[in-house]
Amino acid sequence: ISTTITIIINTFSFCVVIFAFAFELFFGGKDPVPSLKASLGAFLGFIFGTGIKIIASGVMMFYIISFLK
């Protein structure tokens, strides 16, 4: 199951980088270097946001399970 989750996360993160780069490049009218910086910022925001959500879910699950015992 961890392989499936890894494939899904990698697919979404790759799409975030590609689409952020494409939209900044074509619709933002920017050069490739600032577009690449913006897409990497979107990627890092996606990764950190996902990590924070997973950590928060784990903490909540811990407290719920410990409360039910």
Short mmCIF file of all heavy atoms in Angstrom, two decimals:
data_model
loop_
_atom_site.label_atom_id
_atom_site.label_comp_id
_atom_site.label_asym_id
_atom_site.label_seq_id
_atom_site.Cartn_x
_atom_site.Cartn_y
_atom_site.Cartn_z
N ILE A 1 0.82 -1.20 0.00
CA ILE A 1 0.00 0.00 0.00
C ILE A 1 0.87 1.26 0.00
O ILE A 1 0.48 2.28 -0.55
CB ILE A 1 -0.98 -0.01 1.19
CG1 ILE A 1 -2.00 1.08 1.00
CG2 ILE A 1 -0.25 0.17 2.50
CD1 ILE A 1 -3.21 0.94 1.90
N SER A 2 2.05 1.20 0.60
CA SER A 2 2.91 2.39 0.62
C SER A 2 3.40 2.74 -0.78
O SER A 2 3.60 3.91 -1.09
CB SER A 2 4.09 2.18 1.56
OG SER A 2 4.90 1.14 1.06
N THR A 3 3.57 1.73 -1.64
CA THR A 3 3.98 2.00 -3.01
C THR A 3 2.90 2.76 -3.76
O THR A 3 3.18 3.69 -4.50
CB THR A 3 4.30 0.68 -3.74
OG1 THR A 3 5.26 -0.04 -2.98
CG2 THR A 3 4.84 0.95 -5.12
N THR A 4 1.65 2.37 -3.54
CA THR A 4 0.54 3.06 -4.18
C THR A 4 0.46 4.50 -3.73
O THR A 4 0.28 5.41 -4.55
CB THR A 4 -0.79 2.34 -3.85
OG1 THR A 4 -0.67 0.97 -4.21
CG2 THR A 4 -1.93 2.96 -4.60
N ILE A 5 0.61 4.74 -2.44
CA ILE A 5 0.56 6.11 -1.92
C ILE A 5 1.73 6.93 -2.48
O ILE A 5 1.55 8.09 -2.85
CB ILE A 5 0.58 6.08 -0.38
CG1 ILE A 5 -0.70 5.46 0.14
CG2 ILE A 5 0.79 7.47 0.19
CD1 ILE A 5 -0.71 5.20 1.62
N THR A 6 2.90 6.33 -2.58
CA THR A 6 4.06 7.03 -3.13
C THR A 6 3.84 7.41 -4.58
O THR A 6 4.18 8.53 -4.99
CB THR A 6 5.32 6.15 -3.01
OG1 THR A 6 5.49 5.76 -1.65
CG2 THR A 6 6.55 6.88 -3.49
N ILE A 7 3.26 6.51 -5.36
CA ILE A 7 2.99 6.80 -6.77
C ILE A 7 1.99 7.95 -6.88
O ILE A 7 2.18 8.86 -7.70
CB ILE A 7 2.47 5.55 -7.49
CG1 ILE A 7 3.59 4.52 -7.63
CG2 ILE A 7 1.90 5.90 -8.85
CD1 ILE A 7 3.13 3.17 -8.12
N ILE A 8 0.96 7.95 -6.07
CA ILE A 8 -0.05 9.01 -6.13
C ILE A 8 0.57 10.35 -5.73
O ILE A 8 0.36 11.36 -6.41
CB ILE A 8 -1.24 8.66 -5.23
CG1 ILE A 8 -2.01 7.48 -5.82
CG2 ILE A 8 -2.16 9.86 -5.05
CD1 ILE A 8 -3.05 6.90 -4.90
N ILE A 9 1.34 10.38 -4.67
CA ILE A 9 1.96 11.63 -4.22
C ILE A 9 2.95 12.15 -5.26
O ILE A 9 2.97 13.35 -5.56
CB ILE A 9 2.64 11.44 -2.85
CG1 ILE A 9 1.58 11.27 -1.77
CG2 ILE A 9 3.55 12.61 -2.51
CD1 ILE A 9 2.13 10.93 -0.41
N ASN A 10 3.75 11.27 -5.85
CA ASN A 10 4.71 11.70 -6.86
C ASN A 10 4.00 12.24 -8.09
O ASN A 10 4.47 13.20 -8.70
CB ASN A 10 5.64 10.55 -7.25
CG ASN A 10 6.66 10.26 -6.19
OD1 ASN A 10 6.96 11.12 -5.37
ND2 ASN A 10 7.19 9.06 -6.19
N THR A 11 2.89 11.63 -8.48
CA THR A 11 2.14 12.11 -9.64
C THR A 11 1.59 13.50 -9.38
O THR A 11 1.71 14.39 -10.22
CB THR A 11 0.99 11.14 -9.96
OG1 THR A 11 1.54 9.84 -10.19
CG2 THR A 11 0.24 11.59 -11.19
N PHE A 12 0.99 13.71 -8.20
CA PHE A 12 0.44 15.02 -7.89
C PHE A 12 1.53 16.07 -7.78
O PHE A 12 1.37 17.19 -8.25
CB PHE A 12 -0.38 14.99 -6.60
CG PHE A 12 -1.73 14.36 -6.78
CD1 PHE A 12 -2.18 13.43 -5.88
CD2 PHE A 12 -2.54 14.71 -7.84
CE1 PHE A 12 -3.43 12.84 -6.02
CE2 PHE A 12 -3.78 14.14 -8.00
CZ PHE A 12 -4.23 13.20 -7.09
N SER A 13 2.64 15.73 -7.16
CA SER A 13 3.72 16.72 -7.00
C SER A 13 4.33 17.07 -8.35
O SER A 13 4.66 18.23 -8.59
CB SER A 13 4.78 16.21 -6.03
OG SER A 13 5.38 15.03 -6.53
N PHE A 14 4.45 16.10 -9.24
CA PHE A 14 4.97 16.38 -10.58
C PHE A 14 4.01 17.29 -11.34
O PHE A 14 4.44 18.23 -12.01
CB PHE A 14 5.18 15.07 -11.34
CG PHE A 14 5.72 15.25 -12.73
CD1 PHE A 14 7.02 15.67 -12.91
CD2 PHE A 14 4.92 15.02 -13.84
CE1 PHE A 14 7.53 15.84 -14.18
CE2 PHE A 14 5.43 15.20 -15.11
CZ PHE A 14 6.73 15.60 -15.28
N CYS A 15 2.70 17.05 -11.20
CA CYS A 15 1.71 17.89 -11.86
C CYS A 15 1.73 19.31 -11.31
O CYS A 15 1.56 20.28 -12.06
CB CYS A 15 0.31 17.30 -11.71
SG CYS A 15 0.07 15.80 -12.67
N VAL A 16 1.94 19.46 -10.02
CA VAL A 16 2.00 20.79 -9.41
C VAL A 16 3.15 21.59 -10.02
O VAL A 16 2.99 22.75 -10.40
CB VAL A 16 2.15 20.69 -7.88
CG1 VAL A 16 2.56 22.02 -7.29
CG2 VAL A 16 0.87 20.21 -7.25
N VAL A 17 4.30 20.96 -10.15
CA VAL A 17 5.47 21.66 -10.70
C VAL A 17 5.25 22.02 -12.16
O VAL A 17 5.48 23.15 -12.58
CB VAL A 17 6.75 20.80 -10.54
CG1 VAL A 17 7.91 21.40 -11.30
CG2 VAL A 17 7.09 20.64 -9.08
N ILE A 18 4.77 21.07 -12.95
CA ILE A 18 4.60 21.31 -14.39
C ILE A 18 3.54 22.38 -14.64
O ILE A 18 3.76 23.30 -15.43
CB ILE A 18 4.23 20.00 -15.11
CG1 ILE A 18 5.41 19.04 -15.06
CG2 ILE A 18 3.81 20.26 -16.54
CD1 ILE A 18 6.67 19.53 -15.74
N PHE A 19 2.38 22.26 -13.99
CA PHE A 19 1.31 23.23 -14.24
C PHE A 19 1.65 24.61 -13.71
O PHE A 19 1.34 25.61 -14.35
CB PHE A 19 -0.01 22.74 -13.66
CG PHE A 19 -0.62 21.63 -14.46
CD1 PHE A 19 -0.99 20.44 -13.86
CD2 PHE A 19 -0.83 21.77 -15.81
CE1 PHE A 19 -1.55 19.42 -14.59
CE2 PHE A 19 -1.39 20.75 -16.56
CZ PHE A 19 -1.75 19.57 -15.95
N ALA A 20 2.31 24.69 -12.56
CA ALA A 20 2.70 26.00 -12.04
C ALA A 20 3.71 26.66 -12.98
O ALA A 20 3.61 27.86 -13.26
CB ALA A 20 3.30 25.86 -10.64
N PHE A 21 4.65 25.89 -13.49
CA PHE A 21 5.62 26.43 -14.43
C PHE A 21 4.94 26.89 -15.72
O PHE A 21 5.21 28.00 -16.21
CB PHE A 21 6.70 25.39 -14.74
CG PHE A 21 7.71 25.86 -15.75
CD1 PHE A 21 8.66 26.79 -15.39
CD2 PHE A 21 7.71 25.36 -17.04
CE1 PHE A 21 9.60 27.23 -16.31
CE2 PHE A 21 8.64 25.79 -17.96
CZ PHE A 21 9.60 26.72 -17.59
N ALA A 22 4.06 26.07 -16.25
CA ALA A 22 3.40 26.41 -17.52
C ALA A 22 2.52 27.64 -17.38
O ALA A 22 2.55 28.53 -18.25
CB ALA A 22 2.57 25.21 -18.00
N PHE A 23 1.74 27.73 -16.32
CA PHE A 23 0.86 28.87 -16.15
C PHE A 23 1.64 30.16 -15.90
O PHE A 23 1.26 31.22 -16.40
CB PHE A 23 -0.15 28.63 -15.03
CG PHE A 23 -1.29 27.76 -15.45
CD1 PHE A 23 -1.43 26.48 -14.94
CD2 PHE A 23 -2.22 28.22 -16.36
CE1 PHE A 23 -2.48 25.67 -15.34
CE2 PHE A 23 -3.27 27.42 -16.77
CZ PHE A 23 -3.41 26.14 -16.26
N GLU A 24 2.72 30.08 -15.13
CA GLU A 24 3.53 31.27 -14.91
C GLU A 24 4.22 31.70 -16.20
O GLU A 24 4.34 32.89 -16.49
CB GLU A 24 4.59 31.01 -13.83
CG GLU A 24 4.06 31.01 -12.43
CD GLU A 24 3.68 32.40 -11.96
OE1 GLU A 24 4.31 33.39 -12.38
OE2 GLU A 24 2.74 32.49 -11.16
N LEU A 25 4.67 30.74 -16.97
CA LEU A 25 5.39 31.05 -18.20
C LEU A 25 4.47 31.64 -19.26
O LEU A 25 4.77 32.67 -19.86
CB LEU A 25 6.09 29.80 -18.73
CG LEU A 25 7.00 29.97 -19.93
CD1 LEU A 25 8.18 30.88 -19.57
CD2 LEU A 25 7.52 28.62 -20.38
N PHE A 26 3.32 31.00 -19.47
CA PHE A 26 2.44 31.42 -20.57
C PHE A 26 1.49 32.54 -20.18
O PHE A 26 1.32 33.50 -20.92
CB PHE A 26 1.66 30.22 -21.10
CG PHE A 26 2.54 29.19 -21.74
CD1 PHE A 26 2.55 27.90 -21.27
CD2 PHE A 26 3.38 29.52 -22.79
CE1 PHE A 26 3.37 26.94 -21.85
CE2 PHE A 26 4.20 28.58 -23.38
CZ PHE A 26 4.19 27.28 -22.90
N PHE A 27 0.87 32.44 -19.03
CA PHE A 27 -0.14 33.42 -18.66
C PHE A 27 0.42 34.57 -17.82
O PHE A 27 -0.15 35.64 -17.79
CB PHE A 27 -1.30 32.75 -17.90
CG PHE A 27 -2.01 31.73 -18.74
CD1 PHE A 27 -2.04 30.40 -18.35
CD2 PHE A 27 -2.65 32.10 -19.91
CE1 PHE A 27 -2.69 29.46 -19.12
CE2 PHE A 27 -3.30 31.16 -20.69
CZ PHE A 27 -3.32 29.84 -20.29
N GLY A 28 1.53 34.33 -17.15
CA GLY A 28 2.13 35.39 -16.34
C GLY A 28 3.07 36.27 -17.15
O GLY A 28 3.44 37.35 -16.72
N GLY A 29 3.45 35.80 -18.32
CA GLY A 29 4.34 36.57 -19.18
C GLY A 29 5.74 36.72 -18.61
O GLY A 29 6.40 37.71 -18.88
N LYS A 30 6.17 35.75 -17.84
CA LYS A 30 7.49 35.83 -17.21
C LYS A 30 8.51 35.03 -18.01
O LYS A 30 8.19 34.24 -18.88
CB LYS A 30 7.43 35.29 -15.78
CG LYS A 30 6.57 36.11 -14.85
CD LYS A 30 6.65 35.56 -13.44
CE LYS A 30 5.85 36.43 -12.50
NZ LYS A 30 5.91 35.93 -11.14
N ASP A 31 9.77 35.27 -17.67
CA ASP A 31 10.86 34.49 -18.25
C ASP A 31 10.87 33.10 -17.60
O ASP A 31 10.23 32.88 -16.57
CB ASP A 31 12.19 35.19 -18.00
CG ASP A 31 12.30 36.49 -18.78
OD1 ASP A 31 11.68 36.58 -19.86
OD2 ASP A 31 13.00 37.41 -18.30
N PRO A 32 11.62 32.16 -18.18
CA PRO A 32 11.64 30.80 -17.61
C PRO A 32 12.20 30.70 -16.19
O PRO A 32 11.72 29.89 -15.40
CB PRO A 32 12.52 30.02 -18.58
CG PRO A 32 12.42 30.75 -19.85
CD PRO A 32 12.27 32.20 -19.49
N VAL A 33 13.19 31.51 -15.84
CA VAL A 33 13.81 31.38 -14.51
C VAL A 33 12.85 31.79 -13.39
O VAL A 33 12.68 31.03 -12.43
CB VAL A 33 15.13 32.18 -14.45
CG1 VAL A 33 15.69 32.17 -13.04
CG2 VAL A 33 16.14 31.60 -15.42
N PRO A 34 12.17 32.95 -13.47
CA PRO A 34 11.18 33.25 -12.42
C PRO A 34 10.00 32.27 -12.41
O PRO A 34 9.47 31.97 -11.34
CB PRO A 34 10.70 34.66 -12.76
CG PRO A 34 11.75 35.26 -13.61
CD PRO A 34 12.37 34.11 -14.34
N SER A 35 9.66 31.75 -13.58
CA SER A 35 8.58 30.76 -13.63
C SER A 35 9.00 29.47 -12.93
O SER A 35 8.19 28.84 -12.24
CB SER A 35 8.21 30.45 -15.08
OG SER A 35 7.74 31.60 -15.72
N LEU A 36 10.25 29.09 -13.11
CA LEU A 36 10.75 27.89 -12.43
C LEU A 36 10.80 28.10 -10.93
O LEU A 36 10.45 27.19 -10.16
CB LEU A 36 12.14 27.53 -12.97
CG LEU A 36 12.76 26.25 -12.43
CD1 LEU A 36 11.91 25.06 -12.82
CD2 LEU A 36 14.17 26.09 -12.95
N LYS A 37 11.20 29.29 -10.48
CA LYS A 37 11.22 29.57 -9.05
C LYS A 37 9.81 29.51 -8.46
O LYS A 37 9.60 28.99 -7.36
CB LYS A 37 11.82 30.95 -8.79
CG LYS A 37 13.31 31.00 -8.95
CD LYS A 37 13.84 32.38 -8.61
CE LYS A 37 15.33 32.45 -8.78
NZ LYS A 37 15.86 33.78 -8.46
N ALA A 38 8.83 30.04 -9.20
CA ALA A 38 7.45 29.99 -8.72
C ALA A 38 6.93 28.57 -8.65
O ALA A 38 6.24 28.19 -7.70
CB ALA A 38 6.56 30.83 -9.63
N SER A 39 7.29 27.75 -9.64
CA SER A 39 6.82 26.37 -9.63
C SER A 39 7.48 25.57 -8.51
O SER A 39 6.84 24.73 -7.88
CB SER A 39 7.07 25.70 -10.98
OG SER A 39 8.45 25.58 -11.23
N LEU A 40 8.73 25.83 -8.23
CA LEU A 40 9.39 25.15 -7.10
C LEU A 40 8.81 25.61 -5.77
O LEU A 40 8.68 24.81 -4.84
CB LEU A 40 10.89 25.39 -7.14
CG LEU A 40 11.63 24.69 -8.29
CD1 LEU A 40 13.11 25.06 -8.26
CD2 LEU A 40 11.45 23.20 -8.23
N GLY A 41 8.42 26.88 -5.69
CA GLY A 41 7.74 27.36 -4.48
C GLY A 41 6.39 26.68 -4.29
O GLY A 41 6.02 26.32 -3.17
N ALA A 42 5.66 26.49 -5.38
CA ALA A 42 4.38 25.78 -5.29
C ALA A 42 4.60 24.32 -4.88
O ALA A 42 3.83 23.78 -4.09
CB ALA A 42 3.67 25.84 -6.64
N PHE A 43 5.66 23.71 -5.40
CA PHE A 43 5.97 22.33 -5.03
C PHE A 43 6.32 22.21 -3.55
O PHE A 43 5.81 21.32 -2.86
CB PHE A 43 7.13 21.83 -5.89
CG PHE A 43 7.65 20.49 -5.48
CD1 PHE A 43 6.90 19.35 -5.71
CD2 PHE A 43 8.88 20.36 -4.88
CE1 PHE A 43 7.37 18.10 -5.32
CE2 PHE A 43 9.37 19.13 -4.50
CZ PHE A 43 8.61 18.00 -4.73
N LEU A 44 7.17 23.12 -3.06
CA LEU A 44 7.54 23.07 -1.65
C LEU A 44 6.33 23.34 -0.75
O LEU A 44 6.18 22.70 0.30
CB LEU A 44 8.66 24.06 -1.36
CG LEU A 44 10.02 23.71 -1.93
CD1 LEU A 44 11.02 24.83 -1.67
CD2 LEU A 44 10.51 22.40 -1.36
N GLY A 45 5.48 24.26 -1.16
CA GLY A 45 4.26 24.51 -0.39
C GLY A 45 3.35 23.30 -0.36
O GLY A 45 2.76 22.98 0.68
N PHE A 46 3.26 22.60 -1.47
CA PHE A 46 2.45 21.38 -1.54
C PHE A 46 3.01 20.31 -0.61
O PHE A 46 2.28 19.67 0.15
CB PHE A 46 2.40 20.88 -2.98
CG PHE A 46 1.72 19.56 -3.15
CD1 PHE A 46 0.34 19.47 -3.13
CD2 PHE A 46 2.46 18.40 -3.34
CE1 PHE A 46 -0.29 18.25 -3.29
CE2 PHE A 46 1.84 17.19 -3.50
CZ PHE A 46 0.46 17.11 -3.48
N ILE A 47 4.32 20.11 -0.66
CA ILE A 47 4.96 19.06 0.15
C ILE A 47 4.85 19.39 1.64
O ILE A 47 4.47 18.54 2.46
CB ILE A 47 6.43 18.87 -0.27
CG1 ILE A 47 6.50 18.31 -1.68
CG2 ILE A 47 7.18 17.99 0.71
CD1 ILE A 47 5.87 16.95 -1.85
N PHE A 48 5.17 20.63 2.03
CA PHE A 48 5.10 20.99 3.44
C PHE A 48 3.66 20.99 3.95
O PHE A 48 3.40 20.57 5.07
CB PHE A 48 5.75 22.35 3.69
CG PHE A 48 7.24 22.31 3.67
CD1 PHE A 48 7.96 23.13 2.83
CD2 PHE A 48 7.94 21.44 4.48
CE1 PHE A 48 9.34 23.09 2.80
CE2 PHE A 48 9.33 21.38 4.46
CZ PHE A 48 10.03 22.21 3.62
N GLY A 49 2.73 21.46 3.12
CA GLY A 49 1.32 21.44 3.52
C GLY A 49 0.82 20.02 3.73
O GLY A 49 0.10 19.73 4.69
N THR A 50 1.20 19.11 2.83
CA THR A 50 0.81 17.71 2.98
C THR A 50 1.43 17.11 4.22
O THR A 50 0.77 16.37 4.97
CB THR A 50 1.23 16.92 1.73
OG1 THR A 50 0.63 17.52 0.58
CG2 THR A 50 0.80 15.47 1.83
N GLY A 51 2.70 17.42 4.48
CA GLY A 51 3.36 16.90 5.67
C GLY A 51 2.72 17.38 6.95
O GLY A 51 2.52 16.61 7.89
N ILE A 52 2.36 18.66 7.00
CA ILE A 52 1.71 19.20 8.20
C ILE A 52 0.35 18.54 8.41
O ILE A 52 -0.02 18.22 9.55
CB ILE A 52 1.58 20.74 8.08
CG1 ILE A 52 2.96 21.37 8.22
CG2 ILE A 52 0.64 21.30 9.12
CD1 ILE A 52 3.00 22.84 7.91
N LYS A 53 -0.38 18.31 7.33
CA LYS A 53 -1.69 17.66 7.46
C LYS A 53 -1.55 16.22 7.95
O LYS A 53 -2.35 15.76 8.78
CB LYS A 53 -2.42 17.69 6.13
CG LYS A 53 -2.89 19.07 5.74
CD LYS A 53 -3.48 19.07 4.34
CE LYS A 53 -3.70 20.49 3.88
NZ LYS A 53 -4.13 20.56 2.48
N ILE A 54 -0.54 15.51 7.47
CA ILE A 54 -0.32 14.13 7.92
C ILE A 54 0.08 14.11 9.39
O ILE A 54 -0.41 13.27 10.16
CB ILE A 54 0.74 13.45 7.03
CG1 ILE A 54 0.17 13.20 5.64
CG2 ILE A 54 1.23 12.16 7.66
CD1 ILE A 54 1.18 12.70 4.64
N ILE A 55 0.93 15.03 9.80
CA ILE A 55 1.34 15.09 11.21
C ILE A 55 0.15 15.43 12.10
O ILE A 55 -0.06 14.80 13.15
CB ILE A 55 2.48 16.11 11.40
CG1 ILE A 55 3.76 15.57 10.75
CG2 ILE A 55 2.72 16.41 12.87
CD1 ILE A 55 4.87 16.60 10.64
N ALA A 56 -0.65 16.41 11.69
CA ALA A 56 -1.83 16.79 12.47
C ALA A 56 -2.82 15.64 12.57
O ALA A 56 -3.40 15.38 13.63
CB ALA A 56 -2.50 18.02 11.87
N SER A 57 -3.01 14.91 11.47
CA SER A 57 -3.91 13.75 11.50
C SER A 57 -3.40 12.68 12.44
O SER A 57 -4.18 12.05 13.17
CB SER A 57 -4.07 13.18 10.10
OG SER A 57 -4.64 14.11 9.24
N GLY A 58 -2.09 12.44 12.44
CA GLY A 58 -1.51 11.45 13.34
C GLY A 58 -1.67 11.84 14.80
O GLY A 58 -1.99 10.99 15.64
N VAL A 59 -1.47 13.11 15.10
CA VAL A 59 -1.63 13.57 16.48
C VAL A 59 -3.08 13.43 16.92
O VAL A 59 -3.37 12.95 18.04
CB VAL A 59 -1.15 15.04 16.62
CG1 VAL A 59 -1.55 15.62 17.96
CG2 VAL A 59 0.36 15.11 16.44
N MET A 60 -4.01 13.83 16.05
CA MET A 60 -5.44 13.69 16.40
C MET A 60 -5.82 12.23 16.57
O MET A 60 -6.57 11.88 17.50
CB MET A 60 -6.30 14.34 15.32
CG MET A 60 -6.27 15.85 15.36
SD MET A 60 -7.42 16.59 14.20
CE MET A 60 -6.36 16.80 12.79
N MET A 61 -5.30 11.36 15.71
CA MET A 61 -5.61 9.93 15.84
C MET A 61 -5.05 9.38 17.14
O MET A 61 -5.71 8.59 17.82
CB MET A 61 -5.02 9.16 14.66
CG MET A 61 -5.41 7.70 14.64
SD MET A 61 -4.64 6.75 13.30
CE MET A 61 -5.10 7.69 11.88
N PHE A 62 -3.86 9.81 17.52
CA PHE A 62 -3.27 9.37 18.79
C PHE A 62 -4.15 9.75 19.97
O PHE A 62 -4.43 8.94 20.84
CB PHE A 62 -1.87 9.97 18.94
CG PHE A 62 -1.27 9.73 20.29
CD1 PHE A 62 -0.76 8.49 20.63
CD2 PHE A 62 -1.24 10.74 21.24
CE1 PHE A 62 -0.22 8.27 21.88
CE2 PHE A 62 -0.70 10.52 22.49
CZ PHE A 62 -0.19 9.29 22.81
N TYR A 63 -4.61 11.02 20.00
CA TYR A 63 -5.44 11.47 21.10
C TYR A 63 -6.80 10.78 21.12
O TYR A 63 -7.33 10.46 22.19
CB TYR A 63 -5.61 12.99 21.08
CG TYR A 63 -4.42 13.71 21.64
CD1 TYR A 63 -3.64 14.52 20.83
CD2 TYR A 63 -4.06 13.58 22.97
CE1 TYR A 63 -2.54 15.18 21.34
CE2 TYR A 63 -2.95 14.23 23.49
CZ TYR A 63 -2.20 15.04 22.67
OH TYR A 63 -1.11 15.67 23.16
N ILE A 64 -7.38 10.54 19.96
CA ILE A 64 -8.67 9.85 19.91
C ILE A 64 -8.54 8.42 20.40
O ILE A 64 -9.36 7.94 21.20
CB ILE A 64 -9.25 9.90 18.47
CG1 ILE A 64 -9.69 11.33 18.16
CG2 ILE A 64 -10.41 8.93 18.32
CD1 ILE A 64 -10.06 11.55 16.70
N ILE A 65 -7.50 7.72 19.93
CA ILE A 65 -7.31 6.33 20.37
C ILE A 65 -6.99 6.26 21.85
O ILE A 65 -7.50 5.40 22.57
CB ILE A 65 -6.21 5.65 19.51
CG1 ILE A 65 -6.72 5.46 18.10
CG2 ILE A 65 -5.77 4.33 20.12
CD1 ILE A 65 -5.69 4.96 17.13
N SER A 66 -6.16 7.18 22.34
CA SER A 66 -5.84 7.16 23.77
C SER A 66 -7.05 7.54 24.63
O SER A 66 -7.18 7.07 25.76
CB SER A 66 -4.66 8.08 24.07
OG SER A 66 -5.01 9.42 23.82
N PHE A 67 -7.95 8.37 24.09
CA PHE A 67 -9.16 8.74 24.84
C PHE A 67 -10.14 7.57 24.89
O PHE A 67 -10.83 7.39 25.89
CB PHE A 67 -9.82 9.95 24.17
CG PHE A 67 -11.09 10.37 24.83
CD1 PHE A 67 -11.07 11.03 26.05
CD2 PHE A 67 -12.32 10.10 24.24
CE1 PHE A 67 -12.24 11.42 26.67
CE2 PHE A 67 -13.50 10.50 24.84
CZ PHE A 67 -13.46 11.15 26.06
N LEU A 68 -10.19 6.75 23.85
CA LEU A 68 -11.14 5.65 23.80
C LEU A 68 -10.71 4.45 24.64
O LEU A 68 -11.53 3.58 24.92
CB LEU A 68 -11.35 5.20 22.35
CG LEU A 68 -12.06 6.21 21.45
CD1 LEU A 68 -12.11 5.68 20.02
CD2 LEU A 68 -13.46 6.51 21.96
N LYS A 69 -9.47 4.37 25.04
CA LYS A 69 -9.00 3.22 25.83
C LYS A 69 -9.51 3.24 27.21
O LYS A 69 -9.89 3.95 27.93
CB LYS A 69 -7.47 3.17 25.85
CG LYS A 69 -6.92 2.68 24.55
CD LYS A 69 -5.42 2.53 24.68
CE LYS A 69 -4.87 1.97 23.39
NZ LYS A 69 -3.46 1.74 23.46
#
